Each structure stands twice: as structure tokens, then as C-alpha cells.
Amino acid sequence: MNPDSASADSPALGVLKLLAQEAPPARLVELLRLARHQRMPRARLEELKQAVSLALDVHTSVEQRRRREAGLMALIDTTQQMAFRDDLNDLLNTATSQARRLLDFDMAWISLSLPDGGSYVHTSKGEITPSSVGLELATGFGLGEQVLRTQAPLWTSDYLTDDRFHHSPAIDEVVDSEGLHAVLAVPLTHDGTCIGALYGASRGRRHFSPDEVSLLRSLAAMAAPAIEETRRLERIQAALAKAENERSHLAARLNGLERLTGIQTRLSGMFLAGGTLHDILEMADGELRGVLVLRDAAGRTLAGTGDIPSADPERVVRALAESHAIGAPVALTETVWAMHVTTGVEAPGVLLFQRSTPLTEEELRLLHAVGQTTALVQLLAHSAGAAAGPARDECLDSLLAARAQPPRRMIERVRRLGLDPDRPHAVLVVRPEGAQQGEAAVWASSYTYRHRGLKTARGECLVLLLPAEDASDAARAAGGELSRVLGHPVTVGAAGVATGLGSLAKAHQEARRCLDALVSLGATGGAASARDLGFLGLLLSDEHDADTFIDSVLGRMLEYDSRRSTDLVRTLEAYFTSGSSPTRAAVHLHVHANTVARRLERITELLGPDWQKPANALEIQLALRLLRTRDAVYPGTTERDGNPVDRARARFPGTERAEESPGP
């Protein structure tokens, strides 16, 4: 029997049969319509209407129960999925995706609370614009902030027109750009604390039923503990990673310190074993993998493993001051570091290190240790020199007193003190212009020890014996360093270069006369040998070396005349004889005045633009007189070996330009 025929006999039975068949509500409504069309008796029609109404209620209840069961099953499935998520992003993506599927949302997102108030959108699904994720929700604005404050669900059928909460322009702009109307928000609560909110939204107007609100809230209730647990695990993992990183860092530092300690032990061992500055820098270079150079206060290189270009002196001074203040190396440039090196008895030097890569903290400490070790080596050398001072002073006093070649035992004594008696030596007489003879004597002991020389004191002056190829250079170097150490000028007279120890007494007397000449001329603070004093030096020298004086004054012209067969020397004599008149000189030489003018131009090129100044002209005339006197006494000397012409050819190459042709 079909429900339609049964309804005529028993309306309730027909409705029950439709319910048993799980017929849709439309079939029940159709049954009632047919009964009305067939003009069923009123009493039976009323009975049918009541049965249909009850059936529709039953059907609604069944559907609600089914939806609840489906929702519960979906929640169980979601819980299982979230249980296997150990990444916060994966967990939140799962929660928002399930929210969209369970409640047929167009868009779902989760906001998390910020420590200082407000919240931000962490994850979103279903969005059509990129502006939602990362959006900050200010405190007191928007639907979600009210949910966070009350910890209760809240929904609206049309967000932009709802005035139950404060609107934020930024939030409204996102809602409008996404085309959203209905929005439902439920709190994410864990242990009584609201950690965020779960949102669902539709792009059409929609009224959310209590079951829908309850379902989304249940989803939020399961997601919140999982979110908090995941965040807790992430914090634990971050803390573990940080602890591991710190452990690795500490282990690396410990290894570095152990390595540094070992290197410092090696440096100490090298120092105690008498290692040289070069040995120490070589060992440190192998550890630091760069270039090390040790320079003294004058900028001279004492030892090094390579070349480092000179830097701006002012920058070096600032770097040394900073290094001395902090007790550590400082960066001079991006690739060069400087370390202040001082012994306490000499002007401070600098240890430079160059490398293209930055230095680690341990390497900076190693560079500092290398600087200290080099200072100790220099201090030891100074102390050794000072300790041997009396014996060295006595030895030099004996040498200066000797009027002939010293006996063999004296020569052996000199060798034991580190001198080579066969090398050329210069004798310097040094007078400090301040009242610091004691400090100057300490410096002299260290200086002569470092340069393998001897020193002694004579009155207010110091006498130094130093290996040297040029007495003037040795005087300037020693005077310059002592001036910097004392902070006052010193005057240095020099003599030499003496070959053999038997000539030291004469060299000492000549050096003393040079010192007295400098003082008499008002040139205190200067340094000079007899050669530097011109014709005055010729008078002061024991050897009275006229050839050297002529060579130093006229050497270029002698060389030029010899190579070109010109007459520049005779022209210069005629010029001075004629009272510095080119015209009268031309008459004297029987040449045209233009020829004399051209020769004078060439003389200016050879002697320099200042040759006619009174002091220079006096020396030139004296040299010319000596030249003519020597040629008269020793005819033909210009052709013998070793004369000024030969020396000039060696000293002044390149003076071979042809003389200009004479004028008309």
C-alpha cells in the first residue's frame, strides 16, 4: 500500500510510512496537498495536518541529530589531525581548513594575542587578497577584540553595518576587499586565558544557528590546547637550540683559549730560549695567517714576515693611543690592525698585522701576546746592553786612547763584545741639549747594543762607535731617535768612516771639532760630519781631503767637461774673475757673449738654481782655487785613477747632454 492510498484510510499511518521511508519533507507537504485536493473530510484532514506537522518536527530533529553527529565525527577527525601536528603553522592551517569545511564558510582565519595587547592575524584560508595575514587588530577595535575581552562568541550578519562594536578603518578595508558580510568569532581559551580567536565568514548575509556557533566553539576548544602545547614545544625547542648554540660557542671558545694558552706558552719558551724578534713573528705568522711587521718609534722596520704599506702617521698615532688605553690591538684600516709596543725605556713602537679577513677574539688576544713578547725581547736586549755597559764603556775608552793599532787582546775583546773590527765604523759625539744625561746614557747603552756598537761618556757628551758606511747618515739616525726619546734636541758631530781600530782616536777628535763647529755656528740640535760642513769641514778634517771637497762642489761640471770636452769650469772661473759679468767673461775667454750665457745656463742646470748665492758662491770659488792649485802642484792629476773626475763620473751619471751651439 502506498502512502497516498493509506492516507485515505488512516492519515497517521501514511505519514508514519513516509517517515519510515525517510522521505523528504516535500513528500509530507505533498500528501497534505493531495488530501485537500480530494476534499478529505474535515476531521480526517485536521488529523492529517497534525500528523504532517509532527512528522516535520521529527524530521527536523533527526536532521539536527545527524548534523550534530556529523559535526562530532568531524571534530574527532580534526582532533586526530591536530594531534599529529608539531608545527604551529600546520596546526593553524588544519584548524582553519576544518572550520571552512564543517560550517561551509567562505573564509576562516585565526588571530593570536600579542604580549602588549591587541592581536594579529596569523593564518587565513579562503582569502582572495593578500592583506589579511599579518593584519594587526588594535585593542578595542573589531569583532574579535570584543570576543577576546568577553571570552564569549559573537556574530554578525553584516559586519560593516553592525554598530555593536568599534570599527577600525584597517579592518573594515580588509572586510570590504574580501567581500565579507556574515562573520562569526569564538575565543581560543586555554587554562582560563584567551590566546586568540577563531573566525568564520561568509560573503553573503547569514544568520548563524546555535548549533553552528556551538560547533565552531567546540572546534576552538580543541584547537586552543593544541596551539598552546605546540607553542610551548616550540619555545622548548628554541631554548634547546639556544642552549646547544651556547654550548657549541663555549666549546669553541674553550678550544680557542686552550690553543691560545698553548701559543702563549710557546712564545714564552721562545723568549726564554733567546728567540729573536724575527723568530717570534714567524711563529705568530703561522698561527694568524697574515703579515706581521714590528716598527720602532721612527717607523723603521725591526722585524717582519712581509711588507705592509705605511699608513697615515696621524692615524697611526691615534691608533697607538687607543691601543695603549685599552691594552689591546685596534683596527687601523679594514685589513690592518695595530698594537702598541713599549718597553718603558724607549719610545713606543708598533706591531702591525695585515689580513683580508676579520680577527676573532682569540686572535686579537694572540696579537696582544705577540706584542708583549716582542717588547720583552727588546727590553731583554736593552737590559743586556745596560748590564754590559761598564765593560763596553771601558773598552771604548781604551780604543779612543790608543794612538796606534790596539794589541791583539784588545781586538779579541772587541770581538767578544759583538763588534767586527774589520768593518767600517763611524764615531759620533752626542751632546743632549737638555739636562737629561742619565736618561741619554741609558738610551745610548740600548742603542749601541742593538746596533753592535760601543758607547762611553766624555764630560757632558756621549761618544758612540757604530758600524756605518756613512758617518752623516749614522749621526742623523742616532740624533733623531735620541731627540724623540728625550723630547729635547741633541747635537751630533760625526767622523769616519774609519777602517781599523787604530784610527778611532783621530776620528773622535774630528767628530768633537764638528760638534764644536755646529755649536759655534748656532746649529745646536743638528747632526753633521766634516763633509756636511763644506770648506769648514775641510779645515776641521784631520785628513784635509781636498779631492773630496772639490768632488762634492764641482763634481758634476768636471764630469760634464770630461765627457763633452766643454769648458764649463774655465767659464765659471772667468765669470767670477770678471766680477760676475757675462760680457767681460766672454771677452776674457775670447768667445761670444751668447756662448757664455748658454754655458751659465748649463752650469745652473748642473749646480742648481742657488749656486750664485753668497755662501754657495764662496764654496764654489774656494773649490775652483783648490782645483787650480792642485793641478799646478800635481800636473796631470785629472787623468789619474781615483781623482774627482773619476768619482764624479760614478756619482753623477746622465750629465751627457751635448752643449748647445754658440750663438752668432
Side-chain angles (χ1 to χ4, degrees):
M1 180 190 311
N2 65 43
D4 295 337
S5 60
S7 62
D9 299 329
S10 175
L13 182 60
V15 171
L16 289 174
K17 288 182 178 181
L18 288 175
L19 284 176
Q21 296 172 2
E22 297 184 350
R27 291 286 301 277
L28 296 172
V29 175
E30 178 64 18
L31 180 63
L32 183 59
R33 188 187 67 78
L34 289 175
R36 288 173 177 168
H37 180 71
Q38 295 174 359
R39 298 183 180 278
M40 180 180 288
R42 184 178 182 85
R44 295 176 67 85
L45 183 60
E46 287 297 326
E47 181 183 353
L48 181 59
K49 287 173 62 177
Q50 291 180 4
V52 168
S53 177
L54 292 173
L56 290 174
D57 291 341
V58 171
H59 188 278
T60 300
S61 298
V62 171
E63 285 300 316
Q64 288 179 342
R65 187 177 297 108
R66 286 177 177 175
R67 284 197 298 272
R68 290 194 187 99
E69 291 175 354
L72 290 174
M73 293 300 297
L75 287 176
I76 294 172
D77 180 58
T78 302
T79 302
Q80 292 176 342
Q81 293 185 41
M82 290 190 296
F84 294 101
R85 298 289 188 271
D86 55 2
D87 180 78
L88 182 61
N89 290 329
D90 289 346
L91 177 62
L92 297 181
N93 284 331
T94 299
T96 51
S97 297
Q98 291 298 329
R100 290 188 66 204
R101 184 175 67 84
L102 289 175
L103 295 168
D104 195 24
F105 288 134
D106 293 317
M107 181 177 172
W109 66 94
I110 290 177
S111 68
L112 297 178
S113 300
L114 292 170
D116 54 352
S119 58
Y120 71 101
V121 177
H122 185 285
T123 304
S124 177
K125 290 293 182 181
E127 72 275 10
I128 59 176
T129 65
S131 56
S132 57
V133 175
L135 175 67
E136 290 195 9
L137 313 174
T139 302
F141 290 93
L143 185 70
E145 279 299 300
Q146 189 167 336
V147 169
L148 293 176
R149 186 177 68 257
T150 62
Q151 296 190 17
L154 185 64
W155 63 272
T156 176
S157 60
D158 194 352
Y159 184 93
L160 295 177
T161 61
D162 199 328
D163 58 0
R164 291 178 299 162
F165 45 84
H166 295 293
H167 285 260
S168 165
I171 300 175
D172 287 358
E173 182 180 353
V174 174
V175 171
D176 183 57
S177 63
E178 291 285 350
L180 301 177
H181 286 278
V183 179
L184 169 61
V186 296
L188 293 167
T189 306
H190 177 68
D191 288 342
T193 302
C194 193
I195 62 173
L198 173 60
Y199 299 80
S202 297
R203 293 190 170 90
R205 290 176 177 81
R206 173 178 174 182
H207 294 272
F208 296 102
S209 67
D211 286 344
E212 291 174 327
V213 174
S214 177
L215 183 58
L216 188 61
R217 188 165 190 180
S218 297
L219 178 59
M222 289 186 297
I227 293 172
E228 192 60 25
E229 181 65 17
T230 302
R231 293 169 73 177
R232 187 180 69 84
L233 290 175
E234 288 186 347
R235 289 193 295 269
I236 292 174
Q237 291 172 352
L240 290 174
K242 181 179 179 181
E244 176 62 23
N245 184 54
E246 291 179 352
R247 188 201 65 78
S248 300
H249 180 68
L250 289 174
R253 285 203 61 186
L254 180 60
N255 292 335
L257 290 174
E258 290 178 349
R259 175 173 169 268
L260 178 61
T261 302
I263 296 172
Q264 289 177 325
T265 302
R266 290 171 58 193
L267 287 172
S268 300
M270 293 181 67
F271 166 69
L272 295 174
T276 65
L277 292 173
H278 183 75
D279 295 336
I280 291 170
L281 295 188
E282 281 286 347
M283 189 277 286
D285 182 271
E287 299 293 338
L288 292 170
R289 303 178 304 282
V291 177
L292 282 161
V293 172
L294 179 65
R295 291 176 180 162
D296 63 10
R300 294 187 295 266
T301 298
L302 302 179
T305 61
D307 294 326
I308 297 179
S310 298
D312 179 24
E314 292 186 4
R315 181 181 297 178
V316 174
V317 170
R318 290 196 299 269
L320 288 182
E322 183 181 353
S323 174
H324 181 66
I326 65 176
V330 298
L332 190 60
T333 66
E334 291 183 356
T335 59
V336 178
W337 288 261
M339 176 64 198
H340 182 275
V341 177
T342 181
T343 63
V345 295
E346 296 179 355
V350 59
L351 177 64
L352 299 175
F353 176 69
Q354 184 178 49
R355 194 176 77 180
S356 58
T357 56
L359 290 176
T360 64
E361 183 178 349
E362 285 73 20
E363 287 174 331
L364 286 172
R365 292 183 180 180
L366 173 56
L367 187 58
H368 178 260
V370 174
Q372 289 181 317
T373 306
T374 58
L376 288 174
V377 171
Q378 295 178 78
L379 182 59
L380 180 63
H382 174 273
S383 300
R392 303 172 76 85
D393 291 358
E394 182 185 351
C395 180
L396 182 55
D397 284 331
S398 300
L399 291 173
L400 294 179
R403 298 297 178 181
Q405 184 69 17
R408 179 172 298 178
R409 64 177 180 275
M410 178 62 71
I411 295 177
E412 291 301 323
R413 181 181 177 187
V414 168
R415 291 186 188 277
R416 286 197 301 271
L417 290 176
L419 274 72
D420 182 359
D422 298 324
R423 285 189 61 182
H425 287 77
V427 177
L428 311 182
V429 179
V430 182
R431 190 179 83 169
E433 299 303 327
Q436 297 175 290
Q437 284 80 3
E439 188 174 351
V442 173
W443 167 86
S445 296
S446 173
Y447 189 82
T448 53
Y449 185 84
R450 284 187 279 124
H451 291 81
R452 297 185 179 277
L454 298 175
K455 74 91 182 171
T456 188
R458 293 291 178 92
E460 78 283 6
C461 297
L462 298 169
V463 181
L464 309 184
L465 176 65
L466 298 170
E469 299 294 335
D470 188 288
S472 300
D473 291 343
R476 285 189 288 269
E481 181 170 323
L482 180 54
S483 296
R484 288 188 296 272
V485 171
L486 299 180
H488 294 286
V490 296
T491 307
V492 185
V497 176
T499 303
L501 301 179
S503 58
L504 294 184
K506 288 185 177 181
H508 170 245
Q509 294 173 1
E510 181 179 324
R512 180 68 199 217
R513 288 196 294 270
C514 289
L515 174 67
D516 293 339
L518 288 172
V519 174
S520 300
L521 294 172
T524 55
S529 65
R531 187 188 67 191
D532 301 318
L533 296 175
F535 72 90
L536 182 59
L538 178 65
L539 300 176
L540 296 173
S541 172
D542 284 327
E543 301 298 331
H544 301 298
D545 188 357
D547 285 349
T548 300
F549 177 70
I550 295 170
D551 179 22
S552 64
V553 177
L554 302 177
R556 287 186 179 274
M557 284 200 306
L558 292 170
E559 163 67 7
Y560 193 89
D561 281 349
S562 174
R563 290 189 180 275
R564 292 295 178 184
S565 299
T566 53
D567 242 348
L568 297 184
V569 173
R570 197 162 70 90
T571 300
L572 191 57
E573 282 185 303
Y575 177 75
F576 283 123
T577 303
S578 303
S580 301
S581 170
T583 303
R584 289 197 293 271
V587 173
H588 180 78
L589 295 171
H590 305 290
V591 297
H592 196 278
N594 286 349
T595 300
V596 173
R598 293 181 184 276
R599 289 178 180 177
L600 291 176
E601 291 177 359
R602 182 56 48 82
I603 290 171
T604 300
E605 291 179 7
L606 295 173
L607 299 185
D610 297 331
W611 68 271
Q612 296 193 67
K613 289 186 176 181
N616 296 333
L618 177 60
E619 289 208 352
I620 293 172
Q621 292 180 67
L622 179 59
L624 289 171
R625 288 290 184 90
L626 289 173
L627 178 64
R628 290 304 167 208
T629 301
R630 188 200 60 194
D631 289 346
V633 175
Y634 303 105
T637 54
T638 55
E639 302 300 328
R640 59 189 175 88
D641 293 337
N643 61 50
V645 172
D646 296 327
R647 291 197 295 270
R649 287 174 179 170
R651 288 181 56 199
F652 309 112
T655 55
E656 302 180 8
R657 291 175 51 196
E659 183 181 7
E660 295 87 342
S661 60

